[in-house]
Amino acid sequence: MSTPLFDKNLPIAIGADHAGFEYKEAIKKVLLDAGWKVEDKGTYSTDSTDYPDYAHPVATMVEEGKAAAGVLVCGSGEGVCMTANKHQGIRAGLCWNEEVASLTRQHNNANIICMGSRFVSLELAEKMVNIFLNTAFEGGRHERRVEKMSC
């Protein structure tokens, strides 16, 4: 049995470094147009900055239940993903195509989607966020695997 989708009463936390700024802004608009509340944790320009400064606040909001899910973007997606996954309550998935965006929810119950602006088109990034937010965790055999993730 699958679990419910993300709670629309909570915002989506979103963050990016300078390399992901333009994607963050576009994805934020798509989320708002879809009826989501959005909590933008920065950055607010293309000036060079450090991705952990934005990944940690997004992960903290999700971990504390103050955001339904998170969206993180940097140049490769790797830095924000590694940073977010330092938080115990986070399962951040690096996504690069639609199938991975779906599977990271279905099989891993991911609560943050991470993407690399230098490796996926904006159109694909927007599609992946939509898929991620509208795909339920399958549970079942995947539940015990997810339960084994935390240290």
Side-chain angles (χ1 to χ4, degrees):
M1 179 179 201
S2 64
T3 58
L5 298 177
F6 295 109
D7 183 354
K8 277 204 126 175
N9 293 313
L10 292 172
I12 300 299
I14 191 168
D17 69 357
H18 57 283
F21 171 74
E22 291 177 7
Y23 278 41
K24 177 184 68 81
E25 293 298 301
I27 292 166
K28 183 168 60 172
K29 182 180 181 330
V30 169
L31 291 170
L32 290 168
D33 290 348
W36 286 99
K37 294 177 264 182
V38 177
E39 182 72 31
D40 186 345
K41 304 311 269 184
T43 193
Y44 306 106
S45 75
T46 57
D47 294 343
S48 184
T49 190
D50 301 328
Y51 56 81
D53 295 341
Y54 313 101
H56 282 305
V58 167
T60 297
M61 279 195 74
V62 174
E63 187 174 35
E64 293 178 351
K66 295 177 181 172
V71 176
L72 288 168
V73 187
C74 68
S76 68
E78 291 285 3
V80 291
C81 192
M82 290 178 188
T83 302
N85 277 315
K86 298 294 184 194
H87 293 253
Q88 275 299 306
I90 297 303
R91 292 171 307 282
L94 177 61
C95 296
W96 58 90
N97 66 37
E98 293 176 44
E99 184 178 15
V100 173
S102 179
L103 288 173
T104 195
R105 284 286 305 135
Q106 290 174 333
H107 293 186
N108 308 117
N109 200 15
N111 50 17
I112 296 179
I113 183 171
C114 303
M115 298 168 288
S117 64
R118 295 182 181 133
F119 296 94
V120 299
S121 70
L122 177 56
E123 179 183 9
L124 178 56
E126 292 170 345
K127 284 181 185 177
M128 289 190 299
V129 168
N130 184 54
I131 289 166
F132 182 85
L133 293 175
N134 290 291
T135 300
F137 175 50
E138 288 179 358
R141 71 185 190 277
H142 304 294
E143 183 69 38
R144 76 172 184 275
R145 295 169 185 161
V146 170
E147 288 174 2
K148 293 179 178 182
M149 286 183 185
S150 295
C151 295

